[in-house]
Amino acid sequence: MKFSISREALLRPLTLVAGVVERRQTLPVLSNVLIEVDGDQVALTGTDLEVELIGRTVASAVEQQGAATVPARKLMDICKSLPEQSDIQLSVEEGRAVLRSGRSRFTLSTLPVAEFPNIEETDGSQELSIPRGTLKHLIETTAFAMAQQDVRYYLNGMLLEMQSHLLRAVATDGHRLAMCSRELEVNVAEPQKLIVPRKGILELSRLLDDSDEPVSLTLGATHVRAHTGDFTFTSKLIDGKFPDYERVVPRGGDKVMLAERAELRQVLSRTAILSNEKYRGVRLYLEPGNLKVMANNPEQEEAEESVAVEYDGPAMEMGFNVGYLIDVMGVLNEDRVQMTLADPNSSALLEEPGGGDALYVVMPMRL
């Protein structure tokens, strides 16, 4: 294998592919990136056995086709440190990868290409085409509510639900829930529900942009595959049953509060400084026209701040994890936020005034 390529043409796919590669690997070959040269096409593949990403770029000159696996992180760091617009020549010599650029020369170890695992091709049961911006919006407005390392493994990911003319993303960690739905011209023979693992969702989000260009999704029994231009992304699916989220969404709350989103977020952030570091609880005292936010901690320190709101119901007091509320304020797009409550012990429903395409449920805390 021997080819030349500009630094920029190599760096973009390499940076994204290296993001999939784990630093600490059980199999040494998994910390490498597979480079394959075919014609003038260069394909870079990274995987951690759960998520696989293939990025494609074009070489400026190819002397010899072939393939090699080289340490992903080191190759990326070398490319980043080279001057902009520099030319890179990569070749395999005596079982080692040699990178030359200007007066620099780097020799990297390689591992046999045959050892590099590839996620087996499964027959895709269904193909869908979705605007990239729509899928990115669904992920970005809900991803924060995914669990991180929950024993209920099906919560460590996001539910993507496809019905005819509807695409929905749902994430929950058992204490809060985020759901976003968009009407779409998709035709599905029967409703599909996939649970994509957390890492797969975060990597997919990095690949997408806000354009209306389509991303092609192939849904298999155990994998989902996305094609976006120069990238092919594959993720295993979590085999499990996602909770019935419809039951979690509180219906029939009759106490509705409207507040300025940015102002409320700042008030919550300031009050959070003196909340209990472990439980992060704040007390909300809601009365007509006013919301008082209070926090205290084991050191007997206290914070109290009031913010003007639109509310004309009975006074009530409830407790919440302040981090959960701040997260919701961070992803809403509107200038104002609507909070619907039934009573102090029921979950709060947060959304854009009048409801938007996303809704958020936060469970109360006993303080």
Side-chain angles (χ1 to χ4, degrees), residues 257 259-268 291 307 329 337:
M257 175 198 93
E260 292 295 326
R261 181 181 64 89
E263 187 183 9
L264 181 56
R265 185 183 182 185
Q266 288 168 355
V267 167
L268 290 167
L291 175 70
V307 55
M329 302 297 153
V337 56

Side-chain angles (χ1 to χ4, degrees), residues 74-312:
K74 291 174 185 166
L75 180 62
M76 183 177 73
D77 290 345
I78 290 169
C79 290
K80 279 186 173 171
S81 65
L82 290 169
E84 288 184 14
Q85 307 300 331
S86 49
D87 273 325
I88 292 172
Q89 188 191 51
L90 245 176
S91 58
V92 177
E93 298 168 19
E94 295 168 5
R96 302 180 89 71
V98 181
L99 185 149
R100 295 183 176 86
S101 180
R103 298 180 178 180
S104 315
R105 180 171 174 272
F106 303 90
T107 307
L108 292 165
S109 64
T110 64
L111 284 167
V113 172
E115 286 182 18
F116 197 85
N118 63 334
I119 294 183
E120 67 278 2
E121 285 274 349
T122 51
D123 293 334
S125 60
Q126 201 144 22
E127 288 220 6
L128 301 175
S129 184
I130 296 167
R132 293 180 198 178
T134 301
L135 188 55
K136 188 176 180 74
H137 172 75
L138 289 178
I139 291 175
E140 289 188 339
T141 48
T142 53
F144 69 89
M146 288 188 288
Q148 299 240 18
Q149 286 169 327
D150 202 294
V151 289
R152 297 164 295 181
Y153 57 93
Y154 48 83
L155 296 184
N156 302 321
M158 181 181 288
L159 176 73
L160 291 179
E161 190 176 341
M162 290 134 202
Q163 303 169 7
S164 281
H165 310 302
L166 184 78
L167 180 63
R168 176 175 286 161
V170 188
T172 178
D173 61 5
H175 303 285
R176 53 177 169 175
L177 177 137
M179 179 166 99
C180 187
S181 314
R182 276 275 174 100
E183 286 191 8
L184 266 191
E185 285 304 313
V186 285
N187 289 318
V188 244
E190 53 192 59
Q192 298 268 358
K193 290 188 175 186
L194 329 169
I195 308 177
V196 185
R198 180 187 176 84
K199 179 169 179 182
I201 285 291
L202 299 178
E203 291 299 332
L204 180 56
S205 177
R206 287 173 52 197
L207 288 180
L208 298 167
D209 51 34
D210 296 323
S211 71
D212 288 333
E213 290 285 305
V215 49
S216 156
L217 287 185
T218 307
L219 317 178
T222 55
H223 294 83
V224 61
R225 180 162 285 159
H227 296 280
T228 65
D230 298 332
F231 293 94
T232 301
F233 161 88
T234 309
S235 171
K236 283 189 175 175
L237 298 175
I238 295 176
D239 182 19
K241 189 164 174 8
F242 204 77
D244 180 3
Y245 58 85
E246 292 284 2
R247 283 181 41 219
V248 179
V249 178
R251 307 287 181 195
D254 54 351
K255 300 168 183 65
V256 179
M257 175 198 93
L258 288 168
E260 292 295 326
R261 181 181 64 89
E263 187 183 9
L264 181 56
R265 185 183 182 185
Q266 288 168 355
V267 167
L268 290 167
S269 301
R270 285 195 292 268
T271 317
I273 297 167
L274 296 186
S275 67
N276 182 318
E277 285 177 14
K278 188 174 176 193
Y279 300 111
R280 309 267 296 148
V282 293
R283 217 179 282 271
L284 304 185
Y285 183 70
L286 183 59
E287 55 192 354
N290 187 56
L291 175 70
K292 194 192 291 183
V293 185
M294 296 166 281
N296 58 7
N297 61 24
E299 289 84 49
Q300 307 293 313
E301 298 165 331
E302 293 177 6
E304 185 179 304
E305 193 162 343
S306 290
V307 55
V309 296
E310 281 181 37
Y311 175 71
D312 55 7

